[in-house]
Coordinates of all heavy atoms in Angstrom, one line a residue:
Chain A
V210 N 100.9 -142.9 0.1 CA 100.9 -141.5 0.0 C 102.3 -140.9 -0.2 O 103.3 -141.5 0.3 CB 100.2 -140.9 1.3 CG1 98.9 -141.5 1.5 CG2 101.1 -141.0 2.6
P211 N 102.3 -139.7 -0.8 CA 103.7 -139.0 -1.0 C 104.2 -138.3 0.2 O 105.3 -137.6 0.1 CB 103.5 -138.2 -2.2 CG 102.1 -137.8 -2.3 CD 101.3 -138.9 -1.5
G212 N 103.4 -138.1 1.2 CA 103.8 -137.2 2.3 C 104.8 -137.8 3.3 O 105.0 -139.0 3.2
D213 N 105.3 -137.0 4.1 CA 106.2 -137.5 5.1 C 105.5 -137.7 6.4 O 105.2 -137.0 7.2 CB 107.3 -136.3 5.5 CG 108.2 -136.8 6.6 OD1 108.2 -137.9 6.8 OD2 108.8 -135.9 7.2
R223 N 99.0 -133.6 9.2 CA 99.6 -133.2 7.9 C 98.4 -133.6 6.8 O 97.7 -134.6 7.0 CB 100.7 -134.1 7.6 CG 101.6 -133.6 6.4 CD 103.0 -134.1 6.6 NE 103.7 -133.2 7.6 CZ 104.9 -133.6 8.3 NH1 105.4 -134.7 8.0 NH2 105.4 -132.7 9.1
Y224 N 98.5 -132.7 5.8 CA 97.6 -132.9 4.6 C 98.4 -133.8 3.7 O 99.6 -133.5 3.3 CB 97.2 -131.6 4.0 CG 96.6 -131.6 2.6 CD1 95.2 -131.8 2.7 CD2 97.1 -131.3 1.4 CE1 94.4 -131.9 1.4 CE2 96.5 -131.4 0.3 CZ 95.0 -131.7 0.3 OH 94.4 -131.7 -0.9
T225 N 97.7 -134.8 3.1 CA 98.4 -135.6 2.1 C 97.4 -136.2 1.1 O 96.3 -135.9 1.2 CB 99.3 -136.8 2.7 OG1 100.1 -137.3 1.7 CG2 98.5 -137.8 3.5
L226 N 97.9 -137.1 0.2 CA 97.1 -137.6 -0.8 C 97.3 -139.0 -1.1 O 98.4 -139.5 -1.0 CB 97.5 -137.0 -2.2 CG 97.5 -135.4 -2.2 CD1 98.5 -134.9 -3.4 CD2 96.1 -134.8 -2.3
T228 N 97.8 -141.5 -3.7 CA 98.1 -141.4 -5.2 C 97.9 -142.7 -5.9 O 97.8 -143.8 -5.2 CB 99.5 -140.9 -5.5 OG1 100.4 -141.8 -4.7 CG2 99.6 -139.5 -5.1
T377 N 97.5 -135.2 -11.5 CA 98.6 -135.5 -10.5 C 98.8 -134.4 -9.5 O 98.3 -133.2 -9.7 CB 99.9 -135.7 -11.4 OG1 100.3 -134.3 -11.8 CG2 99.8 -136.6 -12.5
P378 N 99.4 -134.7 -8.4 CA 99.6 -133.7 -7.4 C 100.4 -132.4 -8.0 O 100.1 -131.3 -7.5 CB 100.5 -134.4 -6.4 CG 100.2 -135.8 -6.5 CD 100.0 -136.1 -7.9
L379 N 101.3 -132.6 -8.9 CA 102.0 -131.4 -9.3 C 101.1 -130.6 -10.3 O 101.2 -129.3 -10.2 CB 103.3 -131.8 -10.2 CG 104.4 -132.5 -9.4 CD1 105.7 -132.5 -10.1 CD2 104.6 -132.0 -7.9
G382 N 99.0 -128.3 -8.2 CA 99.7 -127.4 -7.4 C 100.0 -127.7 -6.0 O 100.1 -127.0 -5.0
L383 N 100.0 -129.1 -5.9 CA 100.2 -129.7 -4.5 C 101.6 -130.4 -4.4 O 101.8 -131.3 -3.6 CB 99.1 -130.7 -4.2 CG 97.7 -130.1 -4.2 CD1 96.7 -131.2 -4.0 CD2 97.6 -129.0 -3.2
G384 N 102.6 -129.9 -5.2 CA 104.0 -130.4 -5.1 C 104.5 -130.3 -3.7 O 105.3 -131.1 -3.3
W385 N 104.0 -129.3 -3.0 CA 104.6 -129.0 -1.6 C 104.1 -130.1 -0.7 O 104.8 -130.3 0.3 CB 104.0 -127.6 -1.1 CG 102.5 -127.6 -0.9 CD1 101.7 -127.2 -1.9 CD2 101.7 -128.0 0.1 NE1 100.4 -127.4 -1.6 CE2 100.3 -127.8 -0.2 CE3 101.9 -128.5 1.5 CZ2 99.2 -128.1 0.6 CZ3 100.8 -128.7 2.2 CH2 99.5 -128.6 1.8
T386 N 103.3 -131.0 -1.0 CA 102.8 -132.2 -0.2 C 103.9 -133.3 -0.5 O 103.7 -134.4 0.2 CB 101.6 -132.6 -0.4 OG1 101.5 -133.3 -1.8 CG2 100.5 -131.5 -0.3
V387 N 104.9 -133.1 -1.4 CA 105.8 -134.3 -1.6 C 107.2 -133.7 -1.1 O 107.9 -133.1 -1.9 CB 105.9 -134.6 -3.1 CG1 106.7 -136.0 -3.3 CG2 104.5 -134.8 -3.8
P388 N 107.6 -134.0 0.0 CA 108.8 -133.5 0.5 C 110.1 -134.1 0.0 O 110.0 -135.2 -0.7 CB 108.8 -133.7 2.0 CG 107.9 -135.0 2.2 CD 106.9 -134.9 1.1
K389 N 111.2 -133.5 0.2 CA 112.5 -134.0 -0.4 C 112.7 -135.4 -0.2 O 113.1 -136.1 -1.2 CB 113.7 -133.1 0.3 CG 115.0 -133.4 -0.4 CD 115.9 -132.1 -0.2 CE 117.4 -132.4 -0.6 NZ 118.1 -133.2 0.4
R390 N 112.6 -135.9 1.1 CA 112.8 -137.3 1.4 C 112.1 -138.3 0.4 O 112.6 -139.2 -0.1 CB 112.7 -137.8 2.8 CG 112.9 -139.2 3.1 CD 112.7 -139.6 4.6 NE 111.4 -139.3 5.1 CZ 110.4 -140.2 5.0 NH1 110.6 -141.3 4.4 NH2 109.3 -139.9 5.6
R391 N 110.8 -137.9 0.3 CA 110.0 -138.8 -0.5 C 110.3 -138.7 -2.0 O 110.1 -139.6 -2.8 CB 108.4 -138.5 -0.3 CG 108.0 -138.8 1.2 CD 108.3 -140.0 1.8 NE 107.8 -141.2 1.0 CZ 106.6 -141.7 0.9 NH1 105.6 -141.2 1.5 NH2 106.5 -142.8 0.1
R392 N 110.7 -137.5 -2.4 CA 111.1 -137.4 -3.9 C 112.2 -138.2 -4.1 O 112.5 -138.7 -5.3 CB 111.4 -135.9 -4.2 CG 110.2 -135.0 -4.3 CD 110.6 -133.5 -4.5 NE 109.3 -132.8 -4.3 CZ 108.7 -132.0 -5.2 NH1 109.1 -132.1 -6.5 NH2 107.6 -131.4 -4.9
E393 N 113.2 -138.3 -3.2 CA 114.4 -139.1 -3.3 C 114.1 -140.6 -3.2 O 114.5 -141.4 -4.0 CB 115.5 -138.7 -2.4 CG 116.0 -137.3 -2.7 CD 116.9 -136.7 -1.6 OE1 117.1 -137.4 -0.5 OE2 117.3 -135.6 -1.8
E394 N 113.4 -141.0 -2.1 CA 113.2 -142.4 -1.9 C 112.0 -143.0 -2.6 O 112.0 -144.1 -2.9 CB 112.8 -142.5 -0.3 CG 113.9 -142.3 0.6 CD 113.5 -142.4 2.1 OE1 112.3 -142.6 2.4 OE2 114.3 -142.0 2.9
R395 N 111.1 -142.2 -3.0 CA 109.9 -142.5 -3.7 C 109.2 -143.6 -3.0 O 108.9 -143.5 -1.7 CB 110.3 -143.0 -5.2 CG 111.1 -141.9 -5.9 CD 111.3 -142.1 -7.3 NE 111.8 -140.8 -7.9 CZ 111.6 -140.6 -9.3 NH1 111.0 -141.4 -10.0 NH2 112.1 -139.4 -9.7
F397 N 105.9 -144.6 -3.5 CA 104.4 -144.3 -3.4 C 103.9 -144.5 -4.7 O 104.7 -144.4 -5.8 CB 104.1 -143.0 -2.8 CG 104.8 -141.8 -3.6 CD1 104.1 -141.1 -4.6 CD2 106.0 -141.4 -3.1 CE1 104.7 -140.1 -5.3 CE2 106.6 -140.2 -3.8 CZ 105.9 -139.6 -4.9
A400 N 104.8 -142.8 -8.3 CA 106.0 -141.8 -8.2 C 106.7 -141.4 -9.4 O 107.0 -140.2 -9.7 CB 106.9 -142.5 -7.1
I403 N 104.6 -139.0 -11.6 CA 104.4 -137.7 -10.9 C 105.7 -137.0 -10.9 O 105.7 -135.8 -11.3 CB 103.9 -137.9 -9.4 CG1 102.5 -138.5 -9.3 CG2 103.9 -136.7 -8.7 CD1 102.1 -139.1 -8.0
L404 N 106.9 -137.7 -10.6 CA 108.1 -136.9 -10.5 C 108.9 -136.7 -11.7 O 109.6 -135.9 -11.9 CB 108.9 -137.6 -9.4 CG 108.3 -137.6 -8.0 CD1 109.1 -138.4 -7.1 CD2 108.1 -136.2 -7.4

Side-chain angles (χ1 to χ4, degrees):
Chain A
V210 306
D213 177 15
R223 189 156 287 163
Y224 175 76
T225 191
L226 309 162
T228 51
T377 72
L379 298 197
L383 300 175
W385 59 272
T386 68
V387 194
K389 185 156 171 282
R390 175 175 67 82
R391 300 304 314 276
R392 284 173 194 255
E393 287 165 3
E394 294 176 5
R395 307 198 165 196
F397 53 92
I403 292 165
L404 299 172

